């Protein structure tokens, strides 16, 4: 299994050390390894994320996998240029299963007996499920405002749930104080880079499901940036391997109530802008200070993309429109659809430089939009426009 390397100072850490942050404070990545997928062998492989075995840092464990991955890619009936990737159909009803199964597999290989994670909800439910299946104790730190559906799911999988008063940032602080205990894996979907390599299979699937051709634009919701960075990894690897001609442009979407990355792009900065978190229905991306913020901004710029934000009103309307298409998702999953809708209808802020760039990218002939969390997980889930 590949070791970990600091993105700032280059220090190498054995993956067995359970280190999740460099001593210099830098974020860790996976040491480069040969990620060339055997494209000719793909038709004979099982329809799960493990079909891209060469691109993953370890082999599947048949006692842990739930067949996650290879979610449907369907055309939108409302947006003719868009395809919708239905990751809310994965085993725990969110895309976080992709990274969770990789971390749980790693933990079992390393004989870890206890894991902990902090989450706004979906990562916690995914970790609870996969660590539970692995026979590893799991504690999940979540904001006390986390939706009841997500809390019930974590507890159903046997996790210990620690409710933290205050914001998502307060939850991160509480988890960081508890992390680092001997023998305990901090299975952070933000800090542990193995998680990103599970998520990158989302990008490989887009490539394969579209006839081994990447779209012009990929839209992603962004809070901590795990889906965005996973996509960037996948697209970079596909191009490097000669399996794709060019990178798609990445358009990331934030909630206007909490948009530190959008503001950084608007101001031409390399780090997220300090913001206060206001209430938003898109709870999954309400991250005021994303630890991988610099990496996120660099990745978006490297593809020629941009970052925009949408209001809760736009998000709620998009959620209802998706429900009318037969797709019931949580509000966080509707922000990307809301952004494409705004571009198509020209209802964006025309004075915004980031929106001026995004509008042309979102009006491209081929756009892929993720639907990454199920509607029943969210507050007021009995109505689509809650």
């Amino acid at each position: 299994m590949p070791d970990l390397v600091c993105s700032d100072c280059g220090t190498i850490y054995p993956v067995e050390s359970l280190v999740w942050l460099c001593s210099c404070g830098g974020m860790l990545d996976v040491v480069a390894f040969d990620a060339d997928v055997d494209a000719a062998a793909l038709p004979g492989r099982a329809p799960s994320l493990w079909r891209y075995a060469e691109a993953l840092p370890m082999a599947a464990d048949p006692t842990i996998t739930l067949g996650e991955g290879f979610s449907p890619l369907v055309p939108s009936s409302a947006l003719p240029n868009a395809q919708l990737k239905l990751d809310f159909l994965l085993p725990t009803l969110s895309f976080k299963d992709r990274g969770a199964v990789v971390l749980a597999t790693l933990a079992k290989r390393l004989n870890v007996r206890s894991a902990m994670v902090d989450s706004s909800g979906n990562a916690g439910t995914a970790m609870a499920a996969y660590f539970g299946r692995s026979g590893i104790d799991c504690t999940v730190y979540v904001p006390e405002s986390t939706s009841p559906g997500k809390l019930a799911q974590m507890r159903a999988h046997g996790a210990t749930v620690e409710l933290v008063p205050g914001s998502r940032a307060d939850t991160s602080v509480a988890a960081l104080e508890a992390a680092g205990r001997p023998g305990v894996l901090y299975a952070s979907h933000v800090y542990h880079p193995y998680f990103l390599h599970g998520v990158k299979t989302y990008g490989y699937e887009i490539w394969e499901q579209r006839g081994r051709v990447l779209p012009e634009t990929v839209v992603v919701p962004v809070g901590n940036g795990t889906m965005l960075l996973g996509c960037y990894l996948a697209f970079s690897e596909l191009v490097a391997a000669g399996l794709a001609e060019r990178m798609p442009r990445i358009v990331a979407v934030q909630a206007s109530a909490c948009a530190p990355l959008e503001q950084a792009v608007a101001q031409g900065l390399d780090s997220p802008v300090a913001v206060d978190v206001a209430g938003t229905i898109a709870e999954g991306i309400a991250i005021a200070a994303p630890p991988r913020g610099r990496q996120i901004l660099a990745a978006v710029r490297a593809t020629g993309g941009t970052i925009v934000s949408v209001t809760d009103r736009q998000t709620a309307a998009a959620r209802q429109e998706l429900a009318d298409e037969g797709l019931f998702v949580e509000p966080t999953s509707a922000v990307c659809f809301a952004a494409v809708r705004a571009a198509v209808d020209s209802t964006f802020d025309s004075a915004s430089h980031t929106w001026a760039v995004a509008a042309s990218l979102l009006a491209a002939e081929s756009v892929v939009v993720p639907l990454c969390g199920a509607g029943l997980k969210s507050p007021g889930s009995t109505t689509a426009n809650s």
Side-chain angles (χ1 to χ4, degrees), residues 221-265:
V222 61
N224 276 310
T226 50
M227 175 170 276
L228 188 153
L229 292 172
C231 282
Y232 183 72
L233 267 175
F235 302 151
S236 299
E237 290 173 1
L238 286 165
V239 171
L243 296 174
E245 292 185 1
R246 44 133 186 90
M247 296 275 286
R249 291 180 172 87
I250 294 176
V251 175
V253 186
Q254 297 210 279
S256 59
C258 184
L261 295 163
E262 180 226 15
Q263 292 187 36
V265 170

Side-chain angles (χ1 to χ4, degrees), residues 7 22-23 125 184 285 297 345:
S7 59
C22 182
S23 59
T125 61
V184 177
I285 54 172
L297 292 166
D345 293 347

